[in-house]
Amino acid sequence: MSSTDNSIESGPLYRFLLKVERAGNALPQPALMFLLLTVLVVLLSAVISGLGVEAVHPVKKETITAVNLMSVTGLHMVLTDMLKNFTGFAPLGTVLVAMLGFSLTEKSGLLGALLRLLVIKSPRQLLVPAVLLAGIMSHTAGDIGYVLLIPLSAMAFHSAGLNPLAGLAICFAGVSGGFAANFMLSVADPVLSGLSQEAARIIDPAYTVTPVVNWYFMSVSSILIIAIGTLVAKKITLPFLGEYKGAAERTAPEPLNAYERKGLLWAGVVFAIFVLLVLWGTVPETGFLRNPANGSLLDSPFLKGIIPMVFFLAAFTGVAYGFAAKTFKSQSDVTNAMQDAMVTMAPYLVMVFFAAQFISLFNSSNVGLILAVKGSELLKDMNLSAIPLMIGFIILTCVVDLFLGSASAKWALMAPVFVPMFMLLGIAPELTQASYRVADSVVNIISPLMPYFPLILAFANKYDPKARLGTLIALMLPYSIAFTIFWSLLLFAWIWLGLPLGPGANLLYVMPGQ
């Protein structure tokens, strides 16, 4: 493997990624970046207002002019709206509520036990797809996949007589390369849908984007990621690495103890009861979770309250597991777990404060709407259909992903421009968001600026002390390329077939009154 590593680390790709790393490191932290962007919006509003740039509102047919934020009116807007911008930021409440529930599944050990069970119990011939599945499911509750599952997978591969670096690479591909794919909702869903909704309301103030709008597509994407990841692993990764001849001692992952098995049993009972109650409330036409006026499921308390439903499911199963497995011994353990989750959200809250100000001022100044109208007119003249537009958008997002790792920070930056722009071209926000999620995922595993990249390299060094940045990139590049090609093709096929991306989520957007 050393000769290949040397060629990688002296090749153009490695030198390019080093330049990307240096350029990305020069960028400010996300919170500071949004502060600087807010200042830029203020200056830009003054320039556009001074130049008299105008656009015609696509619905109201009124002339849109920029609001100069460097005026007394702009100052009043900043002072009076700052608190409202933060507390009314669409993703904030949903993310915090979801995290309170998911914290109990993580802190109780439920999620970790499920992932361990999946990896440990998988037969050798099914270890690759099992690790990919576990990786995909791990980001339901945040970043446990990076911290727990990746080293566990390396250990499981080593124990099974396979190269542990293969287990590490395959799991990394599932956790990070397949970040957007999932069979269940994750914390990312309310974050991104809230930002999409804020952006969509630049054009349509009544537009709603729920956390489940990409669920159908992301569920099918999970199957694709497992299939393509398994193919790449068996055809490229395992033959490339060959037999492990390193000095690391072979150890098997610890099996579940009696308390953990009891915890899983009780969590399973609670899960089954919860699912039965949901079916009781949604399957019958008169179900108590349907819309009481017309019996609809699409416009129902169930879908509108999907985040509270996720909270209750995660909280009830987590608490049941915790007390049965003795990881929770008192009610204070439960509240402490939820408090710890809020501590980990501190960087997110700081970023959200500045991102909320940026998005609000971007919208209030009319700069976002003017850019959307002008950009859509330019693209309309090019007469491009949805698929070519999404190809260009995916490529742009992949480039941005090399420099800015945070999915929510990137979308907070890109959504206010591209969501309304594509809406004016007849493309629904749900499709723009799905395209973004595909592109955001596939570059993570080769981007040196991905926050967990150094941690993954540290895990690799346990088995190969000579492993460096080029080693990891060489392992992950086949997954990145394969995922980009086949996931994009799945999206284009989805568009061509006209399939809904999720419950009530269409591909196309029709302007009101048309």
Side-chain angles (χ1 to χ4, degrees), residues 298-314:
L298 291 179
D299 184 26
S300 66
F302 173 70
L303 285 184
K304 290 180 179 178
I306 193 67
I307 292 301
M309 296 291 291
V310 169
F311 165 78
F312 287 126
L313 175 60

Side-chain angles (χ1 to χ4, degrees), residues 419-478:
V419 168
M421 184 187 301
F422 288 147
M423 287 175 73
L424 295 176
L425 294 171
I427 295 174
E430 294 86 344
L431 176 55
T432 307
Q433 178 181 290
S435 302
Y436 168 79
R437 298 185 73 176
V438 169
D440 172 64
S441 298
V442 296
V443 180
N444 285 336
I445 48 180
I446 60 167
S447 174
L449 296 174
M450 204 277 288
Y452 286 98
F453 213 82
L455 178 64
I456 309 305
L457 187 55
F459 291 150
N461 287 146
K462 174 183 176 181
Y463 299 100
D464 182 3
K466 296 180 180 180
R468 293 190 291 165
L469 182 65
T471 310
L472 195 52
I473 292 170
L475 289 176
M476 304 315 303
L477 190 59

Side-chain angles (χ1 to χ4, degrees), residues 274-333:
F274 190 91
V275 169
L276 289 174
L277 287 173
V278 169
L279 293 175
W280 183 24
T282 56
V283 173
E285 291 185 2
T286 57
F288 59 88
L289 291 176
R290 286 178 172 263
N291 188 320
N294 54 22
S296 170
L297 190 59
L298 291 179
D299 184 26
S300 66
F302 173 70
L303 285 184
K304 290 180 179 178
I306 193 67
I307 292 301
M309 296 291 291
V310 169
F311 165 78
F312 287 126
L313 175 60
F316 291 156
T317 54
V319 168
Y321 176 90
F323 281 107
K326 306 298 183 184
T327 54
F328 288 160
K329 296 181 174 62
S330 67
Q331 60 182 8
S332 62
D333 291 335

Side-chain angles (χ1 to χ4, degrees), residues 350-478:
V350 174
M351 186 199 76
V352 160
F353 174 77
F354 291 103
Q357 309 310 320
F358 161 70
I359 291 175
S360 176
L361 293 176
F362 191 67
N363 297 345
S364 300
S365 66
N366 285 335
V367 170
L369 185 53
I370 291 172
L371 289 177
V373 171
K374 296 296 185 182
S376 65
E377 290 173 352
L378 177 63
L379 292 174
K380 193 176 295 184
D381 290 340
M382 298 172 67
N383 198 28
L384 298 175
S385 63
I387 291 178
L389 285 172
M390 292 303 100
I391 290 175
F393 183 61
I394 286 172
I395 293 172
L396 175 63
T397 304
C398 287
V399 173
V400 174
D401 196 31
L402 286 171
F403 297 92
L404 186 60
S406 170
S408 56
K410 280 197 302 291
W411 194 226
L413 176 63
M414 299 177 71
V417 176
F418 290 99
V419 168
M421 184 187 301
F422 288 147
M423 287 175 73
L424 295 176
L425 294 171
I427 295 174
E430 294 86 344
L431 176 55
T432 307
Q433 178 181 290
S435 302
Y436 168 79
R437 298 185 73 176
V438 169
D440 172 64
S441 298
V442 296
V443 180
N444 285 336
I445 48 180
I446 60 167
S447 174
L449 296 174
M450 204 277 288
Y452 286 98
F453 213 82
L455 178 64
I456 309 305
L457 187 55
F459 291 150
N461 287 146
K462 174 183 176 181
Y463 299 100
D464 182 3
K466 296 180 180 180
R468 293 190 291 165
L469 182 65
T471 310
L472 195 52
I473 292 170
L475 289 176
M476 304 315 303
L477 190 59

Side-chain angles (χ1 to χ4, degrees), residues 128 157 162-163 166 170 232-234 236-243:
V128 171
F157 267 64
L162 300 170
N163 197 305
I170 294 164
V232 172
K234 294 189 174 182
I236 299 177
T237 306
L238 288 167
F240 171 71
L241 289 170
E243 182 182 354

